[in-house]
Amino acid sequence: MAIRRVLVTGGAGFIGSAVVRHMIAQGYEIINVDKLTYSGNLDCVRSVEQSPGYRFHQADIADRQAMAAILEQDQPDAIMHLAAETHVDRSIDRPQEFIDTNIVGTFTLLDAALSYWRSLDGERHSNFRFHHISTDEVFGSLALQDPAFTEQSRYEPSSPYSASKAAADHLARAWHVTFGLPVILTNSSNNYGAFHFPEKLIPLTILNAIEGKPLPIYGNGENVRDWLYVEDHARALELALTRGRIGESYNVGGGAERSNLAVVELICDILDKRRPIEGGRSYRELISFVPDRPGHDLRYALDSSKVETELGWKPLESFESGLEKTVDWFLDNESWWRPIREQKYGGERLGIGG
Ligand code: NAD
């Protein structure tokens, strides 16, 4: 295996931890670098932390010295960069952290990676990859009848979050074009699955429903997202890292476009079967519409034909099967989410963004 030891940033977060668990299962050594912000939680990687070749560093990607020291000490064959501030609503309240981590942090990591890559010899130099993980939100919003975004779609971000991710994507491309750093990019649609921080639409809805609280939906619930099961994403990321072409980007979508209202209604229907409310009422009665957030993109959808034809990837879960697994996971793992709901985030704000 040309790539054996992978440095993952943001590996204590939702997608990063799925990547860490997937890559360990595939036999890679993992160096997990995470600042442990409000959304980072080492419980997400508890199942693999005793694996040989797994190690963790609590560090900020915007700390140049720390990044250089970790690269020098741990000698990874590749970097998968997922660390980011990720919640659109928070980016509207406090954009500064998004600039610091998503833009300055990505720059700092690219710069440290470039120095490190230049220090490598022979095959270690030619096999090295910097994989930058991004979002479909950089492309902006689609009308309901528009074709899905391709890798050629123009960047038109709407929120401070998506603008900061767009900036990071441009930096990653520039470090390839200008300095030759072997960069690969992926842009994925909205993920869902186990260990999803409960500020985003799907986990928030599941937990509010379990607790009998209102299920808030922005506007009239017509906003459409393309949903990707997180484990399908982790497989796509491994393929892009190991088989993707340098300098290319790959769109990874779930092929499951659903309106927010349809998502919430399906969660209610699954819970009606799994944990019926006494008296035969439906969880759908908890749905409540709230004023829309500013700049709310109407629709995201990704054309995944490039990753499918070039890398042979396809999602294994349908939205219905993935959502059932996700609801079951939250029902079975109260010990994971209960402390987060009580200490870090009580579900008082609505979350829909990437
Ligand atoms: P998350 O918020 O669950 O996790 C982010 C992780 O990054 C956390 O563990 C956090 O502690 C860490 N982090 C934040 N700032 C850091 C810093 N300065 N230094 C080091 N670590 C830091 O996010 P997620 O949903 O798992 O998203 C991961 C990546 O995937 C992000 O780059 C995001 O833009 C991208 N993405 C997410 C989605 C989605 O639906 N969640 C979709 C497409 C792309």
Side-chain angles (χ1 to χ4, degrees), residues 10 12-16 33-41 59-62 82-86 101 133-135 161 165 188-191 196 200 354:
F14 166 48
I15 303 174
V33 175
D34 198 297
K35 186 179 171 183
L36 298 181
T37 67
Y38 79 94
S39 70
N41 183 343
D60 186 338
I61 55 162
L82 295 104
E85 288 292 331
T86 61
T101 287
I133 284 88
S134 189
T135 165
Y161 164 65
K165 290 296 292 186
S188 91
S189 57
N190 271 36
N191 284 220
H196 202 177
K200 308 274 172 80

PDB file of all heavy atoms in Angstrom, residues 10 12-16 33-41 59-62 82-86 101 133-135 161 165 188-191 196 200 354, ligand 1:
ATOM      1  N   GLY A  10      -9.562  16.939  12.144  1.00  0.00           N
ATOM      2  CA  GLY A  10     -10.998  16.922  12.468  1.00  0.00           C
ATOM      3  C   GLY A  10     -11.519  15.515  12.708  1.00  0.00           C
ATOM      4  O   GLY A  10     -12.709  15.258  12.562  1.00  0.00           O
ATOM      5  N   ALA A  12     -12.130  13.938  15.323  1.00  0.00           N
ATOM      6  CA  ALA A  12     -13.048  13.737  16.462  1.00  0.00           C
ATOM      7  C   ALA A  12     -14.426  14.310  16.150  1.00  0.00           C
ATOM      8  O   ALA A  12     -15.295  14.360  17.014  1.00  0.00           O
ATOM      9  CB  ALA A  12     -12.481  14.383  17.730  1.00  0.00           C
ATOM     10  N   GLY A  13     -14.612  14.761  14.911  1.00  0.00           N
ATOM     11  CA  GLY A  13     -15.911  15.300  14.501  1.00  0.00           C
ATOM     12  C   GLY A  13     -16.762  14.218  13.848  1.00  0.00           C
ATOM     13  O   GLY A  13     -16.388  13.032  13.830  1.00  0.00           O
ATOM     14  N   PHE A  14     -17.871  14.629  13.287  1.00  0.00           N
ATOM     15  CA  PHE A  14     -18.840  13.679  12.734  1.00  0.00           C
ATOM     16  C   PHE A  14     -18.256  12.894  11.550  1.00  0.00           C
ATOM     17  O   PHE A  14     -18.097  11.665  11.619  1.00  0.00           O
ATOM     18  CB  PHE A  14     -20.096  14.475  12.334  1.00  0.00           C
ATOM     19  CG  PHE A  14     -21.059  13.756  11.453  1.00  0.00           C
ATOM     20  CD1 PHE A  14     -21.472  12.461  11.749  1.00  0.00           C
ATOM     21  CD2 PHE A  14     -21.590  14.386  10.324  1.00  0.00           C
ATOM     22  CE1 PHE A  14     -22.379  11.803  10.932  1.00  0.00           C
ATOM     23  CE2 PHE A  14     -22.495  13.737   9.503  1.00  0.00           C
ATOM     24  CZ  PHE A  14     -22.881  12.442   9.802  1.00  0.00           C
ATOM     25  N   ILE A  15     -17.894  13.581  10.472  1.00  0.00           N
ATOM     26  CA  ILE A  15     -17.398  12.856   9.295  1.00  0.00           C
ATOM     27  C   ILE A  15     -15.967  12.368   9.539  1.00  0.00           C
ATOM     28  O   ILE A  15     -15.604  11.241   9.180  1.00  0.00           O
ATOM     29  CB  ILE A  15     -17.458  13.735   8.030  1.00  0.00           C
ATOM     30  CG1 ILE A  15     -18.886  14.220   7.786  1.00  0.00           C
ATOM     31  CG2 ILE A  15     -16.951  12.965   6.810  1.00  0.00           C
ATOM     32  CD1 ILE A  15     -19.023  15.206   6.634  1.00  0.00           C
ATOM     33  N   GLY A  16     -15.151  13.220  10.170  1.00  0.00           N
ATOM     34  CA  GLY A  16     -13.753  12.832  10.430  1.00  0.00           C
ATOM     35  C   GLY A  16     -13.669  11.537  11.216  1.00  0.00           C
ATOM     36  O   GLY A  16     -12.836  10.671  10.918  1.00  0.00           O
ATOM     37  N   VAL A  33      -5.680  14.552  14.294  1.00  0.00           N
ATOM     38  CA  VAL A  33      -5.342  15.887  14.801  1.00  0.00           C
ATOM     39  C   VAL A  33      -6.626  16.690  14.928  1.00  0.00           C
ATOM     40  O   VAL A  33      -7.313  16.933  13.926  1.00  0.00           O
ATOM     41  CB  VAL A  33      -4.370  16.612  13.846  1.00  0.00           C
ATOM     42  CG1 VAL A  33      -4.109  18.038  14.317  1.00  0.00           C
ATOM     43  CG2 VAL A  33      -3.065  15.836  13.722  1.00  0.00           C
ATOM     44  N   ASP A  34      -6.972  17.069  16.140  1.00  0.00           N
ATOM     45  CA  ASP A  34      -8.248  17.768  16.356  1.00  0.00           C
ATOM     46  C   ASP A  34      -8.094  18.720  17.541  1.00  0.00           C
ATOM     47  O   ASP A  34      -7.486  18.382  18.545  1.00  0.00           O
ATOM     48  CB  ASP A  34      -9.355  16.737  16.629  1.00  0.00           C
ATOM     49  CG  ASP A  34     -10.741  17.316  16.437  1.00  0.00           C
ATOM     50  OD1 ASP A  34     -11.103  18.255  17.181  1.00  0.00           O
ATOM     51  OD2 ASP A  34     -11.474  16.837  15.551  1.00  0.00           O
ATOM     52  N   LYS A  35      -8.680  19.894  17.365  1.00  0.00           N
ATOM     53  CA  LYS A  35      -8.623  20.909  18.435  1.00  0.00           C
ATOM     54  C   LYS A  35      -9.618  20.612  19.550  1.00  0.00           C
ATOM     55  O   LYS A  35      -9.523  21.158  20.636  1.00  0.00           O
ATOM     56  CB  LYS A  35      -8.939  22.272  17.801  1.00  0.00           C
ATOM     57  CG  LYS A  35      -8.806  23.476  18.693  1.00  0.00           C
ATOM     58  CD  LYS A  35      -9.141  24.730  17.865  1.00  0.00           C
ATOM     59  CE  LYS A  35      -9.243  25.971  18.719  1.00  0.00           C
ATOM     60  NZ  LYS A  35      -9.641  27.150  17.921  1.00  0.00           N
ATOM     61  N   LEU A  36     -10.567  19.739  19.264  1.00  0.00           N
ATOM     62  CA  LEU A  36     -11.671  19.439  20.187  1.00  0.00           C
ATOM     63  C   LEU A  36     -12.453  20.700  20.523  1.00  0.00           C
ATOM     64  O   LEU A  36     -12.512  21.140  21.674  1.00  0.00           O
ATOM     65  CB  LEU A  36     -11.170  18.731  21.464  1.00  0.00           C
ATOM     66  CG  LEU A  36     -10.507  17.367  21.248  1.00  0.00           C
ATOM     67  CD1 LEU A  36     -10.089  16.755  22.580  1.00  0.00           C
ATOM     68  CD2 LEU A  36     -11.425  16.409  20.491  1.00  0.00           C
ATOM     69  N   THR A  37     -13.044  21.295  19.506  1.00  0.00           N
ATOM     70  CA  THR A  37     -13.974  22.406  19.713  1.00  0.00           C
ATOM     71  C   THR A  37     -15.287  21.820  20.243  1.00  0.00           C
ATOM     72  O   THR A  37     -15.377  20.614  20.494  1.00  0.00           O
ATOM     73  CB  THR A  37     -14.257  23.130  18.385  1.00  0.00           C
ATOM     74  OG1 THR A  37     -14.989  22.241  17.531  1.00  0.00           O
ATOM     75  CG2 THR A  37     -12.968  23.583  17.700  1.00  0.00           C
ATOM     76  N   TYR A  38     -16.329  22.627  20.298  1.00  0.00           N
ATOM     77  CA  TYR A  38     -17.627  22.159  20.814  1.00  0.00           C
ATOM     78  C   TYR A  38     -18.118  20.922  20.076  1.00  0.00           C
ATOM     79  O   TYR A  38     -18.816  20.081  20.642  1.00  0.00           O
ATOM     80  CB  TYR A  38     -18.680  23.294  20.699  1.00  0.00           C
ATOM     81  CG  TYR A  38     -19.215  23.440  19.304  1.00  0.00           C
ATOM     82  CD1 TYR A  38     -20.392  22.803  18.909  1.00  0.00           C
ATOM     83  CD2 TYR A  38     -18.502  24.160  18.341  1.00  0.00           C
ATOM     84  CE1 TYR A  38     -20.853  22.899  17.615  1.00  0.00           C
ATOM     85  CE2 TYR A  38     -18.966  24.251  17.040  1.00  0.00           C
ATOM     86  CZ  TYR A  38     -20.143  23.619  16.687  1.00  0.00           C
ATOM     87  OH  TYR A  38     -20.602  23.680  15.398  1.00  0.00           O
ATOM     88  N   SER A  39     -17.744  20.762  18.783  1.00  0.00           N
ATOM     89  CA  SER A  39     -18.281  19.633  18.006  1.00  0.00           C
ATOM     90  C   SER A  39     -17.331  18.436  17.959  1.00  0.00           C
ATOM     91  O   SER A  39     -17.690  17.401  17.413  1.00  0.00           O
ATOM     92  CB  SER A  39     -18.629  20.078  16.575  1.00  0.00           C
ATOM     93  OG  SER A  39     -17.445  20.336  15.847  1.00  0.00           O
ATOM     94  N   GLY A  40     -16.154  18.571  18.540  1.00  0.00           N
ATOM     95  CA  GLY A  40     -15.212  17.447  18.572  1.00  0.00           C
ATOM     96  C   GLY A  40     -15.415  16.635  19.842  1.00  0.00           C
ATOM     97  O   GLY A  40     -15.620  17.191  20.914  1.00  0.00           O
ATOM     98  N   ASN A  41     -15.336  15.316  19.715  1.00  0.00           N
ATOM     99  CA  ASN A  41     -15.643  14.470  20.865  1.00  0.00           C
ATOM    100  C   ASN A  41     -14.911  13.140  20.681  1.00  0.00           C
ATOM    101  O   ASN A  41     -15.209  12.393  19.742  1.00  0.00           O
ATOM    102  CB  ASN A  41     -17.164  14.254  20.907  1.00  0.00           C
ATOM    103  CG  ASN A  41     -17.615  13.451  22.092  1.00  0.00           C
ATOM    104  OD1 ASN A  41     -16.828  12.777  22.747  1.00  0.00           O
ATOM    105  ND2 ASN A  41     -18.908  13.527  22.363  1.00  0.00           N
ATOM    106  N   ALA A  59      -4.666  19.624  18.777  1.00  0.00           N
ATOM    107  CA  ALA A  59      -3.921  20.768  18.224  1.00  0.00           C
ATOM    108  C   ALA A  59      -4.814  21.534  17.270  1.00  0.00           C
ATOM    109  O   ALA A  59      -5.764  20.990  16.695  1.00  0.00           O
ATOM    110  CB  ALA A  59      -2.671  20.276  17.495  1.00  0.00           C
ATOM    111  N   ASP A  60      -4.464  22.809  17.087  1.00  0.00           N
ATOM    112  CA  ASP A  60      -5.203  23.712  16.195  1.00  0.00           C
ATOM    113  C   ASP A  60      -4.499  23.716  14.841  1.00  0.00           C
ATOM    114  O   ASP A  60      -3.283  23.966  14.770  1.00  0.00           O
ATOM    115  CB  ASP A  60      -5.178  25.111  16.839  1.00  0.00           C
ATOM    116  CG  ASP A  60      -6.025  26.129  16.094  1.00  0.00           C
ATOM    117  OD1 ASP A  60      -6.305  25.929  14.889  1.00  0.00           O
ATOM    118  OD2 ASP A  60      -6.389  27.134  16.722  1.00  0.00           O
ATOM    119  N   ILE A  61      -5.249  23.494  13.763  1.00  0.00           N
ATOM    120  CA  ILE A  61      -4.616  23.487  12.433  1.00  0.00           C
ATOM    121  C   ILE A  61      -4.041  24.858  12.065  1.00  0.00           C
ATOM    122  O   ILE A  61      -3.214  24.966  11.171  1.00  0.00           O
ATOM    123  CB  ILE A  61      -5.575  23.025  11.311  1.00  0.00           C
ATOM    124  CG1 ILE A  61      -6.856  23.877  11.285  1.00  0.00           C
ATOM    125  CG2 ILE A  61      -5.882  21.543  11.426  1.00  0.00           C
ATOM    126  CD1 ILE A  61      -7.632  23.770   9.987  1.00  0.00           C
ATOM    127  N   ALA A  62      -4.470  25.905  12.776  1.00  0.00           N
ATOM    128  CA  ALA A  62      -3.921  27.242  12.500  1.00  0.00           C
ATOM    129  C   ALA A  62      -2.621  27.499  13.263  1.00  0.00           C
ATOM    130  O   ALA A  62      -2.049  28.585  13.157  1.00  0.00           O
ATOM    131  CB  ALA A  62      -4.953  28.309  12.860  1.00  0.00           C
ATOM    132  N   LEU A  82     -10.213  17.486   7.191  1.00  0.00           N
ATOM    133  CA  LEU A  82     -11.651  17.677   7.442  1.00  0.00           C
ATOM    134  C   LEU A  82     -11.933  18.725   8.506  1.00  0.00           C
ATOM    135  O   LEU A  82     -13.078  19.155   8.651  1.00  0.00           O
ATOM    136  CB  LEU A  82     -12.307  16.360   7.869  1.00  0.00           C
ATOM    137  CG  LEU A  82     -12.328  15.252   6.820  1.00  0.00           C
ATOM    138  CD1 LEU A  82     -11.277  14.207   7.138  1.00  0.00           C
ATOM    139  CD2 LEU A  82     -13.695  14.606   6.711  1.00  0.00           C
ATOM    140  N   ALA A  83     -10.908  19.106   9.299  1.00  0.00           N
ATOM    141  CA  ALA A  83     -11.172  20.035  10.409  1.00  0.00           C
ATOM    142  C   ALA A  83     -11.771  21.325   9.871  1.00  0.00           C
ATOM    143  O   ALA A  83     -11.268  21.898   8.905  1.00  0.00           O
ATOM    144  CB  ALA A  83      -9.876  20.336  11.155  1.00  0.00           C
ATOM    145  N   ALA A  84     -12.849  21.755  10.488  1.00  0.00           N
ATOM    146  CA  ALA A  84     -13.500  22.985  10.044  1.00  0.00           C
ATOM    147  C   ALA A  84     -14.551  23.400  11.064  1.00  0.00           C
ATOM    148  O   ALA A  84     -14.996  22.595  11.883  1.00  0.00           O
ATOM    149  CB  ALA A  84     -14.175  22.774   8.678  1.00  0.00           C
ATOM    150  N   GLU A  85     -14.926  24.664  10.994  1.00  0.00           N
ATOM    151  CA  GLU A  85     -16.179  25.107  11.585  1.00  0.00           C
ATOM    152  C   GLU A  85     -17.240  24.826  10.532  1.00  0.00           C
ATOM    153  O   GLU A  85     -17.049  25.181   9.352  1.00  0.00           O
ATOM    154  CB  GLU A  85     -16.122  26.601  11.911  1.00  0.00           C
ATOM    155  CG  GLU A  85     -15.240  26.939  13.099  1.00  0.00           C
ATOM    156  CD  GLU A  85     -15.802  26.419  14.416  1.00  0.00           C
ATOM    157  OE1 GLU A  85     -17.033  26.294  14.535  1.00  0.00           O
ATOM    158  OE2 GLU A  85     -15.007  26.125  15.324  1.00  0.00           O
ATOM    159  N   THR A  86     -18.371  24.211  10.933  1.00  0.00           N
ATOM    160  CA  THR A  86     -19.243  23.634   9.909  1.00  0.00           C
ATOM    161  C   THR A  86     -20.709  24.055   9.959  1.00  0.00           C
ATOM    162  O   THR A  86     -21.477  23.654   9.080  1.00  0.00           O
ATOM    163  CB  THR A  86     -19.224  22.090   9.998  1.00  0.00           C
ATOM    164  OG1 THR A  86     -19.702  21.709  11.290  1.00  0.00           O
ATOM    165  CG2 THR A  86     -17.835  21.539   9.770  1.00  0.00           C
ATOM    166  N   THR A 101     -10.418  29.234  11.230  1.00  0.00           N
ATOM    167  CA  THR A 101     -10.143  27.801  11.024  1.00  0.00           C
ATOM    168  C   THR A 101     -10.204  27.423   9.546  1.00  0.00           C
ATOM    169  O   THR A 101      -9.274  26.800   9.012  1.00  0.00           O
ATOM    170  CB  THR A 101     -11.141  26.942  11.842  1.00  0.00           C
ATOM    171  OG1 THR A 101     -10.783  27.036  13.217  1.00  0.00           O
ATOM    172  CG2 THR A 101     -11.101  25.481  11.415  1.00  0.00           C
ATOM    173  N   ILE A 133     -11.171  18.155   1.983  1.00  0.00           N
ATOM    174  CA  ILE A 133     -12.581  17.709   1.989  1.00  0.00           C
ATOM    175  C   ILE A 133     -13.491  18.934   2.100  1.00  0.00           C
ATOM    176  O   ILE A 133     -13.362  19.742   3.031  1.00  0.00           O
ATOM    177  CB  ILE A 133     -12.839  16.721   3.156  1.00  0.00           C
ATOM    178  CG1 ILE A 133     -12.263  15.342   2.808  1.00  0.00           C
ATOM    179  CG2 ILE A 133     -14.343  16.556   3.387  1.00  0.00           C
ATOM    180  CD1 ILE A 133     -10.873  15.063   3.135  1.00  0.00           C
ATOM    181  N   SER A 134     -14.400  19.073   1.135  1.00  0.00           N
ATOM    182  CA  SER A 134     -15.250  20.256   1.112  1.00  0.00           C
ATOM    183  C   SER A 134     -16.713  19.885   0.859  1.00  0.00           C
ATOM    184  O   SER A 134     -17.096  18.718   0.915  1.00  0.00           O
ATOM    185  CB  SER A 134     -14.733  21.241   0.065  1.00  0.00           C
ATOM    186  OG  SER A 134     -15.416  22.474   0.180  1.00  0.00           O
ATOM    187  N   THR A 135     -17.486  20.916   0.578  1.00  0.00           N
ATOM    188  CA  THR A 135     -18.946  20.787   0.583  1.00  0.00           C
ATOM    189  C   THR A 135     -19.577  21.263  -0.731  1.00  0.00           C
ATOM    190  O   THR A 135     -18.982  22.083  -1.443  1.00  0.00           O
ATOM    191  CB  THR A 135     -19.510  21.638   1.744  1.00  0.00           C
ATOM    192  OG1 THR A 135     -20.911  21.825   1.572  1.00  0.00           O
ATOM    193  CG2 THR A 135     -18.897  23.041   1.769  1.00  0.00           C
ATOM    194  N   TYR A 161     -20.185  30.465   6.170  1.00  0.00           N
ATOM    195  CA  TYR A 161     -19.628  29.104   6.167  1.00  0.00           C
ATOM    196  C   TYR A 161     -19.187  28.696   4.762  1.00  0.00           C
ATOM    197  O   TYR A 161     -18.029  28.324   4.538  1.00  0.00           O
ATOM    198  CB  TYR A 161     -20.654  28.091   6.703  1.00  0.00           C
ATOM    199  CG  TYR A 161     -20.303  26.652   6.366  1.00  0.00           C
ATOM    200  CD1 TYR A 161     -19.165  26.057   6.900  1.00  0.00           C
ATOM    201  CD2 TYR A 161     -21.091  25.887   5.494  1.00  0.00           C
ATOM    202  CE1 TYR A 161     -18.820  24.742   6.584  1.00  0.00           C
ATOM    203  CE2 TYR A 161     -20.761  24.576   5.173  1.00  0.00           C
ATOM    204  CZ  TYR A 161     -19.625  24.011   5.717  1.00  0.00           C
ATOM    205  OH  TYR A 161     -19.278  22.717   5.392  1.00  0.00           O
ATOM    206  N   LYS A 165     -15.413  27.989   3.157  1.00  0.00           N
ATOM    207  CA  LYS A 165     -15.010  26.714   2.543  1.00  0.00           C
ATOM    208  C   LYS A 165     -14.568  26.940   1.093  1.00  0.00           C
ATOM    209  O   LYS A 165     -13.628  26.303   0.612  1.00  0.00           O
ATOM    210  CB  LYS A 165     -16.165  25.702   2.593  1.00  0.00           C
ATOM    211  CG  LYS A 165     -16.502  25.169   3.967  1.00  0.00           C
ATOM    212  CD  LYS A 165     -15.392  24.354   4.613  1.00  0.00           C
ATOM    213  CE  LYS A 165     -15.124  23.034   3.915  1.00  0.00           C
ATOM    214  NZ  LYS A 165     -14.128  22.205   4.674  1.00  0.00           N
ATOM    215  N   SER A 188     -18.760  17.185  -1.049  1.00  0.00           N
ATOM    216  CA  SER A 188     -19.875  16.250  -0.839  1.00  0.00           C
ATOM    217  C   SER A 188     -21.145  16.985  -0.448  1.00  0.00           C
ATOM    218  O   SER A 188     -21.120  18.146  -0.041  1.00  0.00           O
ATOM    219  CB  SER A 188     -19.532  15.218   0.230  1.00  0.00           C
ATOM    220  OG  SER A 188     -19.943  15.665   1.495  1.00  0.00           O
ATOM    221  N   SER A 189     -22.244  16.266  -0.558  1.00  0.00           N
ATOM    222  CA  SER A 189     -23.539  16.808  -0.141  1.00  0.00           C
ATOM    223  C   SER A 189     -23.722  16.585   1.360  1.00  0.00           C
ATOM    224  O   SER A 189     -22.816  16.086   2.041  1.00  0.00           O
ATOM    225  CB  SER A 189     -24.650  16.149  -0.954  1.00  0.00           C
ATOM    226  OG  SER A 189     -24.593  14.747  -0.807  1.00  0.00           O
ATOM    227  N   ASN A 190     -24.897  16.927   1.868  1.00  0.00           N
ATOM    228  CA  ASN A 190     -25.177  16.828   3.310  1.00  0.00           C
ATOM    229  C   ASN A 190     -25.056  15.386   3.792  1.00  0.00           C
ATOM    230  O   ASN A 190     -25.698  14.493   3.232  1.00  0.00           O
ATOM    231  CB  ASN A 190     -26.609  17.288   3.603  1.00  0.00           C
ATOM    232  CG  ASN A 190     -26.685  18.770   3.856  1.00  0.00           C
ATOM    233  OD1 ASN A 190     -25.968  19.547   3.241  1.00  0.00           O
ATOM    234  ND2 ASN A 190     -27.580  19.160   4.741  1.00  0.00           N
ATOM    235  N   ASN A 191     -24.280  15.186   4.830  1.00  0.00           N
ATOM    236  CA  ASN A 191     -24.108  13.858   5.406  1.00  0.00           C
ATOM    237  C   ASN A 191     -25.088  13.643   6.562  1.00  0.00           C
ATOM    238  O   ASN A 191     -25.534  14.608   7.192  1.00  0.00           O
ATOM    239  CB  ASN A 191     -22.702  13.703   5.979  1.00  0.00           C
ATOM    240  CG  ASN A 191     -21.628  13.502   4.936  1.00  0.00           C
ATOM    241  OD1 ASN A 191     -20.721  12.715   5.119  1.00  0.00           O
ATOM    242  ND2 ASN A 191     -21.703  14.205   3.809  1.00  0.00           N
ATOM    243  N   HIS A 196     -23.618  12.172  14.683  1.00  0.00           N
ATOM    244  CA  HIS A 196     -23.850  13.487  14.088  1.00  0.00           C
ATOM    245  C   HIS A 196     -24.174  14.467  15.205  1.00  0.00           C
ATOM    246  O   HIS A 196     -25.113  14.249  15.974  1.00  0.00           O
ATOM    247  CB  HIS A 196     -25.011  13.385  13.104  1.00  0.00           C
ATOM    248  CG  HIS A 196     -25.037  14.449  12.066  1.00  0.00           C
ATOM    249  ND1 HIS A 196     -25.965  14.486  11.074  1.00  0.00           N
ATOM    250  CD2 HIS A 196     -24.244  15.540  11.855  1.00  0.00           C
ATOM    251  CE1 HIS A 196     -25.746  15.532  10.292  1.00  0.00           C
ATOM    252  NE2 HIS A 196     -24.707  16.192  10.758  1.00  0.00           N
ATOM    253  N   LYS A 200     -27.632  19.749  13.871  1.00  0.00           N
ATOM    254  CA  LYS A 200     -28.019  19.689  12.463  1.00  0.00           C
ATOM    255  C   LYS A 200     -29.386  19.024  12.335  1.00  0.00           C
ATOM    256  O   LYS A 200     -29.843  18.324  13.233  1.00  0.00           O
ATOM    257  CB  LYS A 200     -26.958  18.920  11.662  1.00  0.00           C
ATOM    258  CG  LYS A 200     -25.513  19.433  11.855  1.00  0.00           C
ATOM    259  CD  LYS A 200     -25.153  20.572  10.932  1.00  0.00           C
ATOM    260  CE  LYS A 200     -23.812  21.201  11.248  1.00  0.00           C
ATOM    261  NZ  LYS A 200     -22.648  20.518  10.763  1.00  0.00           N
ATOM    262  N   GLY A 354     -24.883  22.580   6.239  1.00  0.00           N
ATOM    263  CA  GLY A 354     -23.898  21.532   6.037  1.00  0.00           C
ATOM    264  C   GLY A 354     -23.080  21.246   7.216  1.00  0.00           C
ATOM    265  O   GLY A 354     -22.499  20.216   7.365  1.00  0.00           O
TER     266      GLY A 354
HETATM  267  P1  NAD B   1     -17.907  18.627  12.685  1.00  0.00           P
HETATM  268  O1  NAD B   1     -18.259  20.010  13.123  1.00  0.00           O
HETATM  269  O2  NAD B   1     -18.694  17.480  13.212  1.00  0.00           O
HETATM  270  O3  NAD B   1     -16.388  18.314  13.022  1.00  0.00           O
HETATM  271  C1  NAD B   1     -15.357  19.248  12.831  1.00  0.00           C
HETATM  272  C2  NAD B   1     -14.150  18.793  13.630  1.00  0.00           C
HETATM  273  O4  NAD B   1     -13.087  19.706  13.388  1.00  0.00           O
HETATM  274  C3  NAD B   1     -14.400  18.776  15.138  1.00  0.00           C
HETATM  275  O5  NAD B   1     -13.910  17.576  15.692  1.00  0.00           O
HETATM  276  C4  NAD B   1     -13.600  19.972  15.636  1.00  0.00           C
HETATM  277  O6  NAD B   1     -13.108  19.806  16.963  1.00  0.00           O
HETATM  278  C5  NAD B   1     -12.464  20.037  14.618  1.00  0.00           C
HETATM  279  N1  NAD B   1     -11.884  21.384  14.493  1.00  0.00           N
HETATM  280  C6  NAD B   1     -12.559  22.562  14.349  1.00  0.00           C
HETATM  281  N2  NAD B   1     -11.684  23.580  14.287  1.00  0.00           N
HETATM  282  C7  NAD B   1     -10.433  23.048  14.375  1.00  0.00           C
HETATM  283  C8  NAD B   1      -9.125  23.588  14.339  1.00  0.00           C
HETATM  284  N3  NAD B   1      -8.927  24.904  14.231  1.00  0.00           N
HETATM  285  N4  NAD B   1      -8.073  22.737  14.432  1.00  0.00           N
HETATM  286  C9  NAD B   1      -8.275  21.402  14.554  1.00  0.00           C
HETATM  287  N5  NAD B   1      -9.492  20.840  14.615  1.00  0.00           N
HETATM  288  C10 NAD B   1     -10.561  21.637  14.513  1.00  0.00           C
HETATM  289  O7  NAD B   1     -17.935  18.679  11.101  1.00  0.00           O
HETATM  290  P2  NAD B   1     -18.297  17.558  10.029  1.00  0.00           P
HETATM  291  O8  NAD B   1     -19.732  17.643   9.721  1.00  0.00           O
HETATM  292  O9  NAD B   1     -17.716  16.255  10.457  1.00  0.00           O
HETATM  293  O10 NAD B   1     -17.504  18.113   8.748  1.00  0.00           O
HETATM  294  C11 NAD B   1     -16.167  17.703   8.473  1.00  0.00           C
HETATM  295  C12 NAD B   1     -15.727  18.294   7.157  1.00  0.00           C
HETATM  296  O11 NAD B   1     -16.573  17.885   6.099  1.00  0.00           O
HETATM  297  C13 NAD B   1     -15.743  19.830   7.134  1.00  0.00           C
HETATM  298  O12 NAD B   1     -14.617  20.283   6.427  1.00  0.00           O
HETATM  299  C14 NAD B   1     -17.028  20.157   6.393  1.00  0.00           C
HETATM  300  O13 NAD B   1     -16.924  21.416   5.735  1.00  0.00           O
HETATM  301  C15 NAD B   1     -17.090  19.013   5.414  1.00  0.00           C
HETATM  302  N6  NAD B   1     -18.456  18.679   4.966  1.00  0.00           N
HETATM  303  C16 NAD B   1     -19.445  18.403   5.875  1.00  0.00           C
HETATM  304  C17 NAD B   1     -20.706  18.039   5.417  1.00  0.00           C
HETATM  305  C18 NAD B   1     -21.812  17.647   6.370  1.00  0.00           C
HETATM  306  O14 NAD B   1     -22.919  17.364   5.919  1.00  0.00           O
HETATM  307  N7  NAD B   1     -21.577  17.585   7.675  1.00  0.00           N
HETATM  308  C19 NAD B   1     -20.961  17.971   4.053  1.00  0.00           C
HETATM  309  C20 NAD B   1     -19.926  18.281   3.150  1.00  0.00           C
HETATM  310  C21 NAD B   1     -18.675  18.611   3.634  1.00  0.00           C
END
